[in-house]
Amino acid sequence: MNDHAIRHDWTLSEILALFERPLSDLLFEAQSVHRRHHRANEVQVSTLLSIKTGGCPEDCKYCPQSVHYETGVDAHALLPLDDVVSAAKKARDAGATRFCMGAAWRSPTNSQVRKVGEMVAAVKATGMETCVTLGMLTAEQADELADAGLDYYNHNLDTSPEYYAEIITSRVYQDRLDTLAHVRAAGINVCCGGIVGMGETRRDRAGLLRELANLAEHPESVPINNLVQVEGTPMHGTAPLDPLELVRCIAVARILMPKSVVRLSAGRTDLSAEAQALCFMAGAGSIFCGDQLLTTPNPAFDEDMAMFGDLGIKASTGKTAAA
């Protein structure tokens, strides 16, 4: 398949045809695309910190931080600035190049955005890239974060438009697209992907990737999350996704959005080292390191570095241009 022209007009049938290719052919194509746009055998390392936990009014059925579900998550207010900077320095010294901050809000107030902007500026002063996920933003709030120096804003589409109402009813799909438009207009890099393994069909997974690939500009970062099932949420007990289907999702995302960094995100504790190796072969170019992602478990940093050593992968500087 020729990827010289970056496309924004993918059809669902074209994407499903990619999913249905023999796995070896799909991986070969995805790795070929990856090497044309990114350095081979390099993976960017990020760390994620929950700067405000629990108490979210949204009803996302996968989320342990929703007030609608009893999950045992201890809610806490916005962390002090010094604690955030200390965590960023620790992550930097361990080898992470991007520091991501997440707050369990539906949409932050202007005062809250101002405080997060102070965190962004302080973390950038440590030499790290910054990313935040705060919920829905107004255009003015996106501009304020841009002025603070924010590098990336994460706001996932989660799933296909058709399956969305099965997962979330407290906001609509267009709300998410509006926030992405505000972030893009402010000049902030977009981090946008979704979650697989929530009981959706392959057609829904293709539909999610179609939405991402047909945005006017592809997200610079595309996280593919494997559902982490948390007791107390409606998604607990969902039949787990076959790891090879996750590999296919990553490979298809890589082909559709050649210049984007595809991120192997949540749910890696349920994957073997072999499955993760296939994800890297499929074009995953970034992971989160550290033993926790917001409120869910994640492999320990040393464990990931040992896996990198076994696979001959090195942690990248965060630059993604092909060698």
Side-chain angles (χ1 to χ4, degrees):
M1 182 174 293
N2 188 331
D3 72 331
H4 293 301
I6 303 298
R7 291 181 54 187
H8 303 269
D9 60 351
W10 290 93
T11 66
L12 191 62
S13 61
E14 286 178 309
I15 297 172
L16 283 169
L18 287 173
F19 268 96
E20 291 160 8
R21 294 179 70 183
L23 184 60
S24 59
D25 292 350
L26 180 61
L27 290 178
F28 180 81
E29 177 69 27
Q31 182 62 202
S32 299
V33 171
H34 185 74
R35 287 173 181 247
R36 284 198 284 274
H37 296 278
H38 306 268
R39 291 188 176 93
N41 301 312
E42 286 193 12
V43 173
Q44 187 268 334
V45 175
S46 298
T47 295
L48 177 61
L49 176 69
S50 179
I51 58 173
K52 185 271 178 185
T53 303
C56 182
E58 301 276 25
D59 65 356
C60 310
K61 292 182 180 179
Y62 53 80
C63 185
Q65 301 197 65
S66 170
V67 296
H68 298 274
Y69 317 124
E70 294 292 335
T71 61
V73 168
D74 293 327
H76 69 65
L78 196 65
L79 290 177
L81 178 61
D82 288 348
D83 290 359
V84 174
V85 173
S86 176
K89 289 179 178 177
K90 182 179 178 181
R92 177 200 63 192
D93 294 345
T97 59
R98 185 179 303 165
F99 191 72
C100 305
M101 296 167 274
W105 290 318
R106 170 179 167 80
S107 51
T109 64
N110 291 339
S111 174
Q112 289 166 337
V113 168
R114 208 164 296 122
K115 290 177 180 178
V116 173
E118 293 172 0
M119 294 178 180
V120 167
V123 171
K124 281 186 72 70
T126 70
M128 299 193 76
E129 289 183 329
T130 54
C131 178
V132 300
T133 179
L134 313 174
M136 294 183 287
L137 294 181
T138 65
E140 294 75 18
Q141 289 173 334
D143 287 338
E144 183 160 353
L145 290 171
D147 290 342
L150 181 65
D151 296 301
Y152 290 82
Y153 192 84
N154 168 255
H155 199 65
N156 291 332
L157 293 180
D158 284 355
T159 189
S160 69
E162 295 77 15
Y163 194 62
Y164 187 79
E166 299 296 320
I167 305 299
I168 304 159
T169 64
S170 52
R171 72 170 88 165
V172 298
Y173 214 75
Q174 189 60 47
D175 290 331
R176 294 184 180 269
L177 295 172
D178 290 345
T179 290
L180 293 178
H182 296 327
V183 170
R184 182 63 78 193
I188 301 169
N189 291 312
V190 170
C191 177
C192 183
I195 306 171
V196 297
M198 297 191 293
E200 78 285 344
T201 64
R202 175 178 279 184
R203 188 178 186 87
D204 289 313
R205 292 187 283 276
L208 166 66
L209 295 181
R210 178 189 59 187
E211 291 297 314
L212 294 168
N214 288 349
L215 290 170
E217 293 182 65
H218 292 161
E220 283 77 13
S221 180
V222 179
I224 304 296
N225 297 277
N226 190 27
L227 175 68
V228 178
Q229 298 194 27
V230 178
E231 190 171 356
T233 64
M235 290 283 100
H236 186 253
T238 302
L241 189 70
D242 187 324
L244 290 181
E245 184 69 7
L246 175 64
V247 172
R248 287 183 180 275
C249 287
I250 290 172
V252 173
R254 162 52 58 238
I255 293 168
L256 299 182
M257 296 168 280
K259 294 184 178 181
S260 303
V261 176
V262 180
R263 307 173 63 83
L264 176 58
S265 297
R268 289 196 298 116
T269 53
D270 293 329
L271 299 177
S272 67
E274 292 83 359
Q276 291 183 71
L278 286 175
C279 289
F280 296 131
M281 187 179 298
S286 180
I287 62 169
F288 284 109
C289 278
D291 58 5
Q292 187 163 294
L293 293 182
L294 297 180
T295 60
T296 56
N298 195 56
F301 200 95
D302 289 347
E303 183 180 338
D304 281 330
M305 294 305 103
M307 177 179 66
F308 277 15
D310 291 341
L311 297 177
I313 289 173
K314 67 178 181 178
S316 78
T317 61
K319 297 178 181 179
T320 59

